[in-house]
Amino acid sequence: MKILLSWVNEFLSTPLSAAEVEESLISNGIEVALTASLAQGLEKVVVAKVVEFAKHPDADRLRVCKVTDGSDTFAIVCGAKNFEAGDHVALAMVGAKLPNGMEIKKSKIRGVQSFGMLCSEEELGLKDEAEGILILSRDTTLGQPLADVLDRNDTLIELELTPNRGDCLSIVGVAQEVAAHRAISAKIPSTGSKGGVKGDLRIQIEDPKDCPRYSLQLFDSIATGPSIKPLTRLGAIGLRNRLNAIDITNYVMWERGQPLHVFDADHVVGSISVRRAKAGESILCLDDEERALTTEDLIIADEKGPIAIAGVIGGKRASVTEATQKILLESAHFSPTRVRKTSKRLNVHTDSSHRFERFVDPAGVWSASTRARELLENFCQARHLAEADAGTTQFDPVKIRLRKASVLRHLGQEVKNEGEYLARLGFSVERKEDDFFVEVPTRRPDITREIDLIEEIARLHGYSNFGSKLPSQTGIAPLWDSHVATDTVKSFLAQHGCFETCSYSFASSEHNALFSTAGESPVKILNGLTQDMQEMRVSLFPHLIEAWKRNQVRQVPLFRAFEWAKTYRSAPESTTETPAIETRTLGLLFAGQMPKAWDRPERPIDFYDLKGLIEAFSEEFNLNFSFVKAEVPPPYLHPGICAEIRFRGKTCGVIGALHPNLATRLEVEAPILAELKVDPWIEAIGNRSKFKPFSIYPFSEKDLAFVVDSTRTSFEITDLISSLKLPHLASVRLFDVYTGKGIPKGKKSLAYTLRFSSQEKTLTDEEISGDLRRVIDAVATRLDGQLRS
Amino acid sequence: MKYLGKKSEMSQFLKGLSASEPSERKAMGQAIHEVKSFVEGELDRVEQGLVEKETLEKISKESIDITLPGRASLRGNLHPLTRVESKIVDAFRSLGFSVAEGPEIETDHYNFESLNFPKDHPARDMQDTFFLGQDLLLRTHTSPVQIRVMERTPPPIRIVVPGRVYRCDMDATHSPVFHQIEGLCVGPDIHFQHFKGTIEEFLRTIFGSSTKVRFRPSFFPFTEPSAEVDIMGSKGWMEIMGCGMVDPNVLMSVGKAWTDRGEENPYDPEKISGFAFGMGIERIAMLLHGIDDIRLLYENDLRFLSQIKG
């Protein structure tokens, strides 16, 4: 909300500076977004008179003017034509820096010297757009600063109010806060007055729950002409200047926080009722939109139908225009929930609905109306004809018992002047021993409990005036948990050449469809901001690929990345415990070229680079992952370059190359990808290893090469060897894969180093040769593999 | 060998000495020894020289250009958000807080209702929400985890909750996805001073021991009194986190879950109190590393990812 310093000062016994007001508001918990002098940019702008002007010798559209500020005359080249000799105008002198940022310098325009500029309202920051320059009244004094003439010697303060402080959506509310902080008195207008019965205004409140109070005043002889001077404040705070009567309602709303509405009484038919809309009813609103209403909407209606949506927006039919003679002034209380529901459903947010949603003091309904009457009578020559104040007019304050012990318990220290702080806020306080009995005025609906009072006390005492200490230690946080495990894994990957990426949890439906497995249903977002936010992602791949693509465009030759995040699927049955299935997932992407160096050529990064990393990872954390050729490869991976990753016999992930068709479709050089579900193995990370004694005797190693069908996998051989359960076989390691000279077509040679060792002795060749024989025989008989000599 | 070995002429000669006159024997023996050790010494020297020459040749042959670049081991990096999150979590661990987590897809009940955001209340406008269904949404803050933990665990509790949160908002300072760390400390004697003390201690751990900290009153539906915390930066006060004392309504909502299960409610607001806080990890990362656009954190540009250390 924007406020003006002068306006706040009107309600304070001692005027304060902008800095003082700002300090008080911040200390009291009201954020100040901006403090700006309204005269800023007008420092070197003065009233001047156009003495004479002539057409520019070289430009038809320009005039060369002679203007005077009363002591000096200046030659000014001007493009506007809406002035005559003798007009008073706003002259920006050389050196001025206007509110729109324009700096005025001595310049030559088409060969003619110009010593300043005649300004438009737009250039002076008074309006968003303007045609021609600003013409001032001829009563103005030449040379007088424009800021004085326009009454701009004021400070604009913009507040960011929290939704609990509806009472501060008014100058009076802000003044009360400032006064309470500074312990000065505020001239707060009294509330609680009631309207009388005068004339024949009939009001029927059909929904007293949503509208406990509704009042009207009728005036005639309204001068509805253009806005008048005291209301220029509205321009400064960004409220459009319209017709006098409307401006007055806005002025009072800003000052008191009570939204008011005016109807053209000549267009209101019969008596007024406040009721729910009927199904099928609609209303043409002030903004020329026709809006369909429901029985959930509260409306103001006359005998012909709706004339306003209560607290939200007025209707066109009975709206005030320049032709209006008689007005009906509405001041009422509408329930926050009702106004909010309608305002949300219709997506109409107004200054009025904003206030009603945040609660407007029902006790202030009539005093605000009276304030508007005063302004209407003073500035619009209005004649008061009738009034009515229907519904409840008595609103009882909330009574709360505050225990001194509670203050101590919550705030940790005694606060001596609790009672005084509350009194400063306008609460009535009665002390009985260690208890305070507090009555809270109706304008503060946020205060209903003891804790609310304690917050008020803390606020006014000043948070900085409380001590600080650490709570006594209740224990040491566990040294190891899944968060530490996560960090450990991430660090391992980063230390092994991977960059951690971070991307949005969203995906387009298209990407989700490409990267999901059959039977999974994605979680849909109802109000995503873009196409890429239609669903929650089912896989980390699309974003990893996107990152690779983006970096590839930026000439990154090698990209090794991982992301650790959740993927999401709909739960078959959503419960409060598990609203959806969220799977912690580790995604990896390797792509591009291993760079060439002085000792080795460039080579494309491939499956085995990523597999090697995952193997190292598996070894580091004792996970014993196995890689098994995928029987049904996921559709997004290359069917020939793809494996399942298993942990304790269960599949927990996949690794493979992006399917070539998909690479084409996504316009990217195919990367190697891997994705692992984290939950199956994260708990195993950090498992304490137990020492296993190692042999003190030397081991012996034998190399064996087998020629097998090229379709055979290395795993078939190693698996077969380990199935023999040779007691002394310590490890089998593949060290060569060979095809070519000496190997028949359709075959390949796989060479392994077998290491034998014993805990008891040094093994002799004879002891090993039996085992070797068994290996050779088994490979020959079961896999048709011949020992290569 | 021929001249100095055991069967050499010199040895023969030495053996011959025994036959000579005893008076001459000593002097002759001495002379012979002198000759022998001289010759042996000379030979050693020659041999040494040969070895040395060989070594020098070997060394010279093996010498390399040490200015060639070393064989690179591939370098990677942790994401700045991970780095900052770890720092924050570690700081709180040392204050006795342990880590808790919770779902990102939440119900209205946990995200709003039980945190004292009534239905149809403008407080809900403070957090633009992504909706997934009638009652389902993407959590707008990590605070629902407070409720989930308190519903299951009796006090005292000290937790921090890092995680992703979602708001329907996107520009240079707002990301629709961002990370928060929530903290909760609940027990029988927790008060406002503890909350100030803990947060000051934390901020000084992260931003330096001389960091100036300011608490301003504010409003969050689930805390009372509530505060915004600012730290003094080069351009004045900067908002860094929101916090406050746990609102009794929150404790009551949690207590209801206990009584609904037929268990004794350990969260009587007359006896139990606590404080909670929440901060955006992005914001702290941006401050610590001088990052001016939040989108950089989600673009995954290698030039960015490889740059942020420490």
Side-chain angles (χ1 to χ4, degrees), chain A residues 76-92:
Chain A
I76 309 281
V77 178
C78 181
K81 292 213 164 85
N82 65 324
F83 60 90
E84 295 161 23
D87 274 346
H88 284 202
V89 294
L91 168 66

Side-chain angles (χ1 to χ4, degrees), chain A residues 239-293:
Chain A
L239 273 188
R240 196 154 56 98
N241 279 277
R242 290 184 284 185
L243 301 169
N244 272 337
I246 295 172
D247 277 351
I248 285 171
T249 61
N250 283 336
Y251 190 90
V252 175
M253 169 172 70
W254 226 256
E255 186 176 281
R256 304 293 174 92
Q258 169 71 52
L260 302 174
H261 191 71
V262 279
F263 299 104
D264 185 327
D266 291 324
H267 290 101
V268 175
V269 183
S271 65
I272 295 269
S273 60
V274 187
R275 61 166 170 88
R276 293 294 186 92
K278 295 171 192 150
E281 250 179 343
S282 70
I283 178 171
L284 179 66
C285 297
L286 279 172
D287 58 359
D288 290 317
E289 285 263 348
E290 179 85 23
R291 292 189 168 86
L293 300 168

Side-chain angles (χ1 to χ4, degrees), chain B residues 46-58:
Chain B
V46 171
E47 198 187 334
Q48 191 87 32
L50 283 172
V51 171
E52 252 167 48
K53 196 171 163 234
E54 211 174 291
T55 311
L56 281 175
E57 268 170 23
K58 184 174 152 70

Side-chain angles (χ1 to χ4, degrees), chain B residues 28 31 58 85 91 126-127 175 188 213 218 221-222 225 234 257 271 288:
Chain B
M28 275 186 68
K58 184 174 152 70
E85 184 189 293
M126 293 166 88
Q127 304 185 349
S175 172
V213 181
S218 188
F222 44 101
S234 54
K271 294 183 185 120
L288 287 176

Side-chain angles (χ1 to χ4, degrees), chain A residues 26-31 162-164 337 340-341 344 357-358 403 408-413 449-455 458-459 463-479 481-484 487 490-491 494-506 523-530 533 536-537 547 550-551 554 556 558-560 562-566 568 574-577 579-580 582 584 594 598-600, chain B residues 68-69 71-72 74-79 81-82 85-86 89 93-99 101-107 110 116 120-126 129-133 136 138 148 152 156 158 162 164 166 168-170 175-177 179 185 188 190-198 200-201 214-219 223-228 239 245 247-249 269-273 275 295 297-303 305-306:
Chain A
I26 291 173
S27 172
N28 265 20
I30 295 173
E31 262 188 74
T162 50
N164 59 326
T337 316
R340 181 176 164 82
K341 276 187 175 163
K344 279 220 114 174
E357 276 184 34
R358 284 156 180 77
R403 297 160 293 177
L408 177 63
R409 183 168 85 86
H410 285 99
L411 301 181
Q413 69 189 52
R449 305 166 298 168
E450 186 180 47
I451 190 72
D452 300 325
L453 293 175
I454 292 172
E455 181 176 52
R459 231 160 45 86
Y463 283 7
S464 57
N465 295 322
F466 286 90
S468 44
K469 60 163 88 154
L470 289 175
S472 57
Q473 197 87 5
T474 50
I476 294 169
L479 294 177
D481 56 30
S482 93
H483 194 264
V484 181
D487 271 0
K490 286 181 178 180
S491 297
Q495 281 153 15
H496 287 76
C498 299
F499 288 91
E500 187 187 4
T501 63
C502 183
S503 43
Y504 291 166
S505 319
F506 312 122
V523 176
K524 292 200 185 325
I525 300 166
L526 301 181
N527 56 336
L529 297 168
T530 64
M533 296 187 191
M536 298 302 283
R537 58 179 166 179
R550 196 174 291 151
N551 281 287
R554 291 169 189 161
V556 168
L558 172 68
F559 195 56
R560 298 169 34 124
F562 74 94
E563 182 168 12
W564 180 289
K566 282 176 170 175
Y568 313 80
S574 172
T575 64
T576 42
E577 281 306 306
E582 300 180 17
R584 282 192 291 175
M594 294 294 282
W598 51 270
D599 64 334
R600 70 208 117 117
Chain B
L68 294 184
R71 220 159 262 130
L74 286 170
R75 269 162 293 181
N77 203 5
L78 290 173
H79 197 275
L81 293 175
T82 296
E85 184 189 293
S86 299
V89 168
R93 268 183 205 286
S94 66
L95 293 169
F97 287 73
S98 49
V99 178
E101 281 172 24
E104 293 169 20
I105 294 172
E106 264 297 1
T107 59
Y110 282 107
N116 199 28
D120 293 306
H121 192 275
R124 290 201 176 196
D125 294 346
M126 293 166 88
T129 311
F130 283 111
F131 293 98
L132 308 175
L136 227 50
L138 292 176
R148 286 182 177 272
R152 295 277 154 201
R158 265 184 222 193
R164 290 187 176 219
Y166 302 86
C168 211
D169 203 353
M170 191 155 67
S175 172
V177 178
H179 294 72
C185 172
I190 302 296
H191 54 66
F192 195 76
Q193 293 190 338
H194 293 134
F195 135 74
K196 274 188 77 179
T198 305
E200 281 169 356
E201 189 74 14
R214 174 173 89 171
F215 290 80
R216 279 184 284 122
S218 188
F219 168 73
T223 51
E224 177 138 346
S226 301
E228 291 270 9
E239 202 171 298
M245 302 297 295
D247 193 290
N249 284 357
E270 283 290 317
K271 294 183 185 120
I272 297 296
S273 51
F275 63 85
R295 287 170 289 209
L297 291 163
Y298 289 90
E299 267 169 11
N300 299 320
D301 187 318
L302 202 59
R303 292 167 298 183
L305 296 178
S306 57

Side-chain angles (χ1 to χ4, degrees), chain A residues 316-368:
Chain A
K316 190 95 175 168
R317 176 159 62 85
S319 66
V320 170
T321 65
E322 274 167 18
T324 299
Q325 301 284 319
K326 281 166 89 177
I327 63 163
L328 261 181
L329 172 72
E330 167 200 288
S331 181
H333 180 86
F334 302 119
S335 96
T337 316
R338 185 60 46 209
V339 170
R340 181 176 164 82
K341 276 187 175 163
T342 296
S343 155
K344 279 220 114 174
R345 188 180 60 75
L346 296 174
N347 197 20
V348 182
H349 189 80
T350 57
D351 285 322
S352 165
S353 71
H354 188 77
R355 282 168 178 73
F356 280 122
E357 276 184 34
R358 284 156 180 77
F359 194 88
V360 176
D361 183 9
V365 162
W366 191 256
S367 56

Side-chain angles (χ1 to χ4, degrees), chain A residues 60-120:
Chain A
D60 288 347
R61 293 189 175 176
L62 298 178
R63 287 172 170 182
V64 182
C65 316
K66 201 169 122 189
V67 302
T68 174
D69 68 353
S71 41
D72 293 310
T73 57
F74 304 88
I76 309 281
V77 178
C78 181
K81 292 213 164 85
N82 65 324
F83 60 90
E84 295 161 23
D87 274 346
H88 284 202
V89 294
L91 168 66
M93 301 204 285
V94 171
K97 196 175 174 195
L98 297 178
N100 68 356
M102 190 191 285
E103 274 182 69
I104 306 303
K105 291 175 190 150
K106 193 164 76 181
S107 61
K108 218 177 217 178
I109 300 168
R110 292 234 176 172
V112 178
Q113 287 277 6
S114 182
F115 296 89
M117 187 174 85
L118 307 184
C119 306
S120 72

Side-chain angles (χ1 to χ4, degrees), chain A residues 120-418:
Chain A
S120 72
E121 285 179 278
E122 184 188 344
E123 285 151 349
L124 295 169
L126 303 174
K127 277 190 180 166
D128 289 343
E129 49 188 299
E131 256 178 64
I133 58 168
L134 171 64
I135 308 295
L136 300 163
S137 150
R138 292 196 184 188
D139 302 341
T140 49
T141 314
L142 296 186
Q144 195 184 4
L146 188 73
D148 293 353
V149 176
L150 296 180
D151 214 1
R152 302 286 286 183
N153 292 316
D154 207 337
T155 306
L156 179 77
I157 303 173
E158 190 171 353
L159 310 178
E160 273 175 19
L161 288 164
T162 50
N164 59 326
R165 294 305 302 271
D167 64 301
C168 287
L169 285 164
S170 66
I171 302 291
V172 168
V174 170
Q176 172 104 54
E177 277 292 315
V178 172
H181 177 254
R182 304 232 147 224
I184 57 176
S185 60
K187 296 179 267 180
I188 302 300
S190 67
T191 56
S193 57
K194 291 170 199 159
V197 182
K198 186 181 170 194
D200 185 25
L201 286 175
R202 272 166 303 156
I203 299 165
Q204 194 164 6
I205 301 175
E206 291 180 18
D207 185 352
K209 195 172 150 277
D210 288 329
C211 176
R213 184 175 192 182
Y214 191 92
S215 76
L216 287 172
Q217 296 197 73
L218 180 66
F219 303 89
D220 76 351
S221 312
I222 291 291
T224 45
S227 191
I228 33 176
K229 197 167 170 188
L231 307 181
T232 50
R233 275 177 175 166
L234 293 177
I237 56 170
L239 273 188
R240 196 154 56 98
N241 279 277
R242 290 184 284 185
L243 301 169
N244 272 337
I246 295 172
D247 277 351
I248 285 171
T249 61
N250 283 336
Y251 190 90
V252 175
M253 169 172 70
W254 226 256
E255 186 176 281
R256 304 293 174 92
Q258 169 71 52
L260 302 174
H261 191 71
V262 279
F263 299 104
D264 185 327
D266 291 324
H267 290 101
V268 175
V269 183
S271 65
I272 295 269
S273 60
V274 187
R275 61 166 170 88
R276 293 294 186 92
K278 295 171 192 150
E281 250 179 343
S282 70
I283 178 171
L284 179 66
C285 297
L286 279 172
D287 58 359
D288 290 317
E289 285 263 348
E290 179 85 23
R291 292 189 168 86
L293 300 168
T294 75
T295 53
E296 286 294 293
D297 301 321
L298 188 70
I299 57 159
I300 316 303
D302 65 4
E303 284 167 15
K304 269 175 80 180
I307 54 170
I309 305 174
V312 179
I313 191 168
K316 190 95 175 168
R317 176 159 62 85
S319 66
V320 170
T321 65
E322 274 167 18
T324 299
Q325 301 284 319
K326 281 166 89 177
I327 63 163
L328 261 181
L329 172 72
E330 167 200 288
S331 181
H333 180 86
F334 302 119
S335 96
T337 316
R338 185 60 46 209
V339 170
R340 181 176 164 82
K341 276 187 175 163
T342 296
S343 155
K344 279 220 114 174
R345 188 180 60 75
L346 296 174
N347 197 20
V348 182
H349 189 80
T350 57
D351 285 322
S352 165
S353 71
H354 188 77
R355 282 168 178 73
F356 280 122
E357 276 184 34
R358 284 156 180 77
F359 194 88
V360 176
D361 183 9
V365 162
W366 191 256
S367 56
S369 193
T370 308
R371 170 73 169 142
R373 173 180 172 178
E374 181 187 319
L375 293 173
L376 283 166
E377 286 174 342
N378 286 350
F379 295 107
C380 304
Q381 296 84 46
R383 205 153 54 99
H384 184 252
L385 297 178
E387 66 183 50
D389 186 359
T392 322
T393 49
Q394 183 65 43
F395 299 91
D396 294 329
V398 172
K399 291 178 184 146
I400 307 169
R401 173 179 168 218
L402 171 71
R403 297 160 293 177
K404 239 177 143 33
S406 297
V407 177
L408 177 63
R409 183 168 85 86
H410 285 99
L411 301 181
Q413 69 189 52
E414 297 254 3
V415 179
K416 286 206 180 72
N417 10 3
E418 304 101 327

